[in-house]
Each structure stands twice: as C-alpha cells, then as structure tokens.
Amino acid sequence: VARHEQHVTFLRICQQLTTPRSPSSRGGEGGEEGSARGGGAEYRVLSTECRDGRDEGSTRTGDRSPSPLGGEGRGEGHSHTGGARILGCHFYGPYFAKEARGCHPEAALRPPTTEEYLEYLTFHDCITRATVAPELPGAENFVRACRALGIGCNVDHSHATFAQMEAARRWGVTHVDHLFCAMSDRARLRQEQTYPMRGGVLEATLFFDDLTTEVIADGKHLAAELLKLAYKIKGPDRLALVTDCNRALDMPDGEYLFGPLDGGEPILRQDDVGVMPDGKALASGVMGMDHAVRTFLALTAVPLVEVVRMASLTPARIAGRDQDLGSIAPGKLADLVVLNRDLHVREVYVAGEKV
C-alpha cells in the first residue's frame, strides 16, 4: 500500500490457491505510501500490488490538509489501473491521538472539527471506511456523520479506555485497525491512573464480539503467540490479514520517507520490516500479502482454507463488498489469484482477465 503526495493508496490482497481476491479494510501503523510524487505513481503501485496477489483495495487519505481526495480520488474504482481494482478510499488520518501516532508525522495530527470533516465528506461517494481515535474531542460527531453517509468506521492510533471504546461502538464503530499496534492496553493506561487498572482498545477489541479487527502478519510486528491469540478469540470471520505496507514494498533495504514527501517521517527498511531511524520502534510493513498468508500459516498452523478466508472473504465483508468479491461463486466478480504449492503468486486475474 502506498501513499503519494496528499493521499495514500491502501491496497490489500485476496488470495487462494485459485483464490478469490478481496478488498482490504485498512493498512496499519503508519499506513501505506506511494512510490513517487504525482500522476503515474498510483498506477505503478497498483501494478506492484497485483504482483503480490492484491487485486482490490482502497485509496487512503493521509495526515494532510483537507481536499486530498480531489481529482484522482473520485471515480478511480471505475477506471482501468493496469493493476489492482480500486474500491474506494479509506479516510485514515489525521484524526489520531498524538501519543499513539506510531510513525505518522505528529504536526499534522488533530481532533476532528465539523468544518474540516464536512469538507472531506463531500467525497462520501468514494469513501468506504474512516478511522478515528475515539477519545478525541469531536470524535462522536465525526463517526455519526460518517455512518449517516454509509461510511464504515474504525478505531486506530488511539489510547482510548475500555469505556470510550464501548461508547464508540454505540456511535457506529465496527472495526479496529492492526490489532496490538499503536493502541492502549492495561499497561499503557496504568501510567495515567494507578488504580483501578483499566482496559483499553486492545482489551475492548478482544472482548466485543461485534468488533472485527486485523493483524499485520509479516512475522516482525507480532510474534506467533499474538497471532494465535487473535485467531483464537476472533476467529477467521472476524480477523483479517493486512500488510500495512509503505513505499518500501519490494524495495531494497535503506532509507525511505513515510508520508508526504514534504514533511514526512524518515524510516528505515531492514530485516523485512520498517523501523524508525533509532531502531526502537516499528514503522509499518514492507512485505506483500502473499508473504502474510505464508507467514500466518507457518506461525499458527491454522488450516490453509481459513488463512485464505482471512485474506479474501473476511476483508471483503469488512469493506462491505462480500456480495461480489472475496469468494469464488456464481455471479461474483472473477478476481482471482493463482498460487503455486509454496503459496507464491503465479497469476492474477481482474474481472476474468490476466494482469
């Protein structure tokens, strides 16, 4: 997934042996960024996504000023990209808590204000989901405005309490981005209040059955026991695989920029993951979805059919597109990924055509 200039192109995979491809719900700690400034960057990214087995996805807004959706944002799902099919936009930032920002540039983060988000929401016809930290002032009104327009709502980059998460569910939040990453838990919240100890975003996500979520299954963000825990509690129908990729996807190790080219955060790609320059914090993923499928399977021993579902039908359902994507069935779009016995991508088809 990649961010270029003002917005992020956020794409995920949908795969099987001959597997349905589906939309993804979201990226992750730091988001996905495009590889170059301007026009052709998105199309190069979409071609790369297909190479790794992703054939549908959503463009994502970044941590910038309003109007990132102009021009390229509208109607992209109906144009030929030469690669992955764009399903819509994921409004991802700038409404994050600064203390949970991950590698997002801090200066741009802010609470939602009515005047600003109404400008964004004039593009509601191409926004599929929106993310917000529910503890921020104005979060409730933002979520309710999104839901009134049919936009699904997520929580991410948040230090909300369990009670605040419970309230967010009442507003209409249904999904939590990249489980375990950039979110509050009992230990973090105890730094603010000695007693009683409280649950945070993590505990609420695992507790509420109606909340779907996702894991960055690159083998670097989360150890095997955390992947197993997420799967045991949420199951394959409520847990999706995501890459959380940035512009270093399919690139050599070295220095890269996360976010906008003017004001983005420097990051490093090393050991198949993104890290901050001091090496003390993660800075999103750099591996594709086919890698995520192989990694989750190897670390958890979950049946392959269920791992594939978590990379296809489950994200399609989260994105609200499972009626025509995410599984192989009569009447659904012929978006398919063909994998070899080692689960490496051999062929990708969009609308029945090999790409």
Side-chain angles (χ1 to χ4, degrees):
V1 192
R3 164 147 80 236
H4 75 280
E5 193 135 324
Q6 299 183 50
H7 56 264
V8 181
T9 301
F10 159 68
L11 309 159
R12 291 201 199 123
I13 224 196
C14 327
Q15 20 186 208
Q16 268 176 296
L17 284 308
T18 301
T19 165
R21 298 170 7 198
S22 102
S24 3
S25 47
R26 196 224 76 86
E29 179 171 356
E32 289 78 35
E33 313 164 80
S35 54
R37 179 185 296 274
E42 238 174 31
Y43 297 95
R44 290 192 291 274
V45 169
L46 293 169
S47 297
T48 300
E49 297 299 328
C50 268
R51 193 163 62 243
D52 293 328
R54 302 182 268 298
D55 50 4
E56 298 111 4
S58 320
T59 62
R60 275 168 63 190
T61 65
D63 310 320
R64 294 292 297 265
S65 57
S67 303
L69 304 179
E72 298 169 346
R74 270 205 162 120
E76 286 181 284
H78 306 292
S79 63
H80 179 66
T81 66
R85 180 199 305 275
I86 299 177
L87 302 181
C89 173
H90 181 180
F91 184 99
Y92 189 69
Y95 303 150
F96 296 156
K98 290 186 177 182
E99 59 271 22
R101 69 184 183 92
C103 61
H104 286 264
E106 180 177 357
L109 303 184
R110 54 195 181 270
T113 61
T114 303
E115 181 180 5
E116 180 179 83
Y117 68 67
L118 287 181
E119 183 176 353
Y120 281 119
L121 295 183
T122 60
F123 296 90
H124 65 87
D125 56 336
C126 67
I127 300 175
T128 56
R129 300 200 70 88
T131 292
V132 66
E135 70 271 29
L136 295 178
E140 177 178 358
N141 289 341
F142 174 67
V143 170
R144 292 190 184 280
C146 289
R147 297 301 298 127
L149 295 170
I151 299 169
C153 288
N154 304 3
V155 165
D156 191 10
H157 291 277
S158 166
H159 278 184
T161 65
F162 190 99
Q164 288 168 328
M165 284 294 294
E166 193 167 17
R169 289 173 57 248
R170 293 195 296 269
W171 308 339
V173 165
T174 59
H175 184 77
V176 176
D177 301 326
H178 53 44
L179 186 64
F180 300 109
C181 300
M183 62 178 57
S184 56
D185 59 9
R186 177 205 58 81
R188 285 191 178 99
L189 292 177
R190 198 176 188 191
Q191 298 172 18
E192 303 170 7
Q193 175 178 303
T194 304
Y195 62 87
M197 288 184 281
R198 300 167 295 170
V201 176
L202 173 60
E203 290 85 356
T205 305
L206 297 176
F207 179 80
F208 291 113
D209 291 340
D210 56 332
L211 288 178
T212 56
T213 190
E214 59 196 44
V215 286
I216 305 171
D218 60 0
K220 306 296 182 178
H221 277 76
L222 304 176
E225 62 267 21
L226 295 181
L227 297 177
K228 292 176 181 177
L229 175 64
Y231 178 82
K232 181 176 182 178
I233 295 177
K234 305 305 283 190
D237 294 322
R238 293 176 294 156
L239 182 68
L241 303 185
V242 297
T243 65
D244 196 41
C245 272
N246 59 50
R247 58 167 54 93
L249 172 67
D250 285 354
M251 299 296 285
D253 285 355
E255 298 181 1
Y256 294 88
L257 197 63
F258 181 90
L261 297 181
D262 53 340
E265 289 281 344
I267 65 169
L268 298 176
R269 176 189 166 128
Q270 62 182 40
D271 193 27
D272 293 337
V273 71
V275 297
M276 299 301 286
D278 63 5
K280 295 181 179 180
L282 293 167
S284 76
V286 299
M287 304 300 289
M289 182 58 75
D290 56 335
H291 174 83
V293 169
R294 293 191 299 271
T295 300
F296 194 91
L297 180 70
L299 293 180
T300 66
V302 167
L304 177 59
V305 65
E306 295 191 354
V307 179
V308 165
R309 188 189 316 170
M310 294 160 60
S312 53
L313 184 58
T314 298
R317 185 179 298 115
I318 293 168
R321 293 297 301 270
D322 53 305
Q323 74 280 7
D324 54 3
L325 296 170
S327 60
I328 301 173
K332 287 198 169 186
L333 296 174
D335 292 356
L336 306 169
V337 175
V338 180
L339 307 179
N340 63 19
R341 290 182 180 274
D342 297 323
L343 302 181
H344 290 271
V345 175
R346 290 184 54 189
E347 297 173 346
V348 177
Y349 295 83
V350 176
E353 296 185 4
K354 188 175 179 180
V355 296

